């Protein structure tokens, strides 16, 4: 059985719990087994009633279109009863500012009651028939933005992006065009992907890159041209996504070259 810590510890002792609800009412051989080579003690076993789940883990938040989106992982310990749903809360200065509920099978939620320009942390709690878990560890503090691209400057790590790595790539603080971080692809085939709806009024994607970066709508490579702006190692490019205006696409930042490159500060702007 999977044992998880209850959070209680006394001296050399740590309390664990294991969910035997699959065997409720059944007669089993209860075995206490030491799988390790080292010696161990155990004491004070008890069966307890169904309880609230543990808190969800790995909560990550990002923002676009004036809303906040949170993703998380289901807790390992569900309290001996199935999770019935999750409660997601946006926090500002220690106060709950917005909250939404989603069903048990959903591990993401978008909160629309947050304000563009304001910053929030988010927590997630798991519910079962007994009640609500503790809140998860809070996400990073994120600012709610109006743009169509989540985390367009990579200031919140890779939140909001799906990454495909051929070799080490990711978000780095060794170079940035704006803020403190940028995305880095080390080798051909490394990609950053995000589902976006191309804004009808602002369908021109601009971005800053080192060298050799290509943007794609799904598998279709878009033609990037220089805007004429350059700063240090950075050159600004633009690509016309107006053929996809109002449509939801996979926006892919792809490094087609063998050499490494950086990119940063994506935005959809109006056609000139
Ligand atoms: Ca940045």
């Amino acid at each position: 059985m999977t044992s998880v810590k209850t959070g209680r510890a006394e001296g050399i002792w740590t309390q664990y719990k294991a969910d035997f609800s699959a065997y409720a009412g059944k007669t089993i051989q209860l075995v206490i087994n030491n799988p390790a080579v080292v010696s161990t003690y155990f004491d004070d076993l008890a069966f307890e009633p169904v309880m609230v789940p543990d808190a969800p883990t790995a909560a990550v938040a990002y923002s676009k279109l004036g809303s906040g989106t949170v993703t998380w992982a289901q807790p390992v310990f569900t309290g001996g009863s199935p999770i019935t749903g999750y409660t997601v809360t946006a926090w500002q200065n220690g106060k709950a500012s917005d909250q939404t509920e989603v069903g048990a099978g959903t591990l993401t939620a978008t909160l629309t009651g947050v304000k563009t320009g304001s910053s929030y942390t988010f927590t997630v709690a798991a519910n079962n028939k007994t009640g609500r878990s503790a809140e998860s560890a809070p996400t990073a503090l994120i600012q709610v933005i109006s743009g169509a691209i989540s985390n367009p400057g990579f200031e919140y790590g890779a939140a909001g992006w799906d990454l495909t790595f051929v070799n080490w790539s990711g978000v780095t603080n060794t170079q940035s065009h704006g803020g403190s971080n940028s995305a880095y692809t080390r080798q051909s085939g490394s990609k950053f992907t995000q589902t976006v709806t191309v804004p009808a009024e602002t369908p021109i994607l601009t971005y800053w890159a080192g060298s050799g970066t290509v943007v794609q709508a799904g598998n279709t490579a878009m033609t990037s041209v220089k805007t004429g702006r350059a700063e240090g190692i950075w050159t600004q490019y633009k690509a016309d996504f107006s053929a996809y205006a109002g449509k939801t696409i996979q926006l892919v930042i792809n490094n087609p070259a063998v050499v490494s490159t950086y990119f940063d500060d994506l935005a959809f702007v109006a056609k000139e």
Side-chain angles (χ1 to χ4, degrees), residues 151-156 171-172 175-183 234 263-265:
N151 190 16
F154 305 95
E155 297 307 300
Y156 307 111
V171 174
T172 176
Q175 293 283 354
S176 63
H177 172 260
S180 303
N181 298 320
S182 66
W234 296 94
F263 52 95
D264 202 1
D265 290 339

Side-chain angles (χ1 to χ4, degrees), residues 18-29:
D19 180 1
F20 278 72
S21 60
Y23 301 95
K26 294 182 181 155
T27 301
I28 60 167
Q29 294 299 110

Side-chain angles (χ1 to χ4, degrees), residues 64-65 147-149 194-200 202 244-249 268:
K64 67 179 179 182
L65 303 175
I149 303 171
Q194 179 173 147
T195 304
V196 303
T197 301
V198 177
T202 54
Y244 300 96
K247 294 185 178 152
T248 299
I249 61 165
F268 280 112

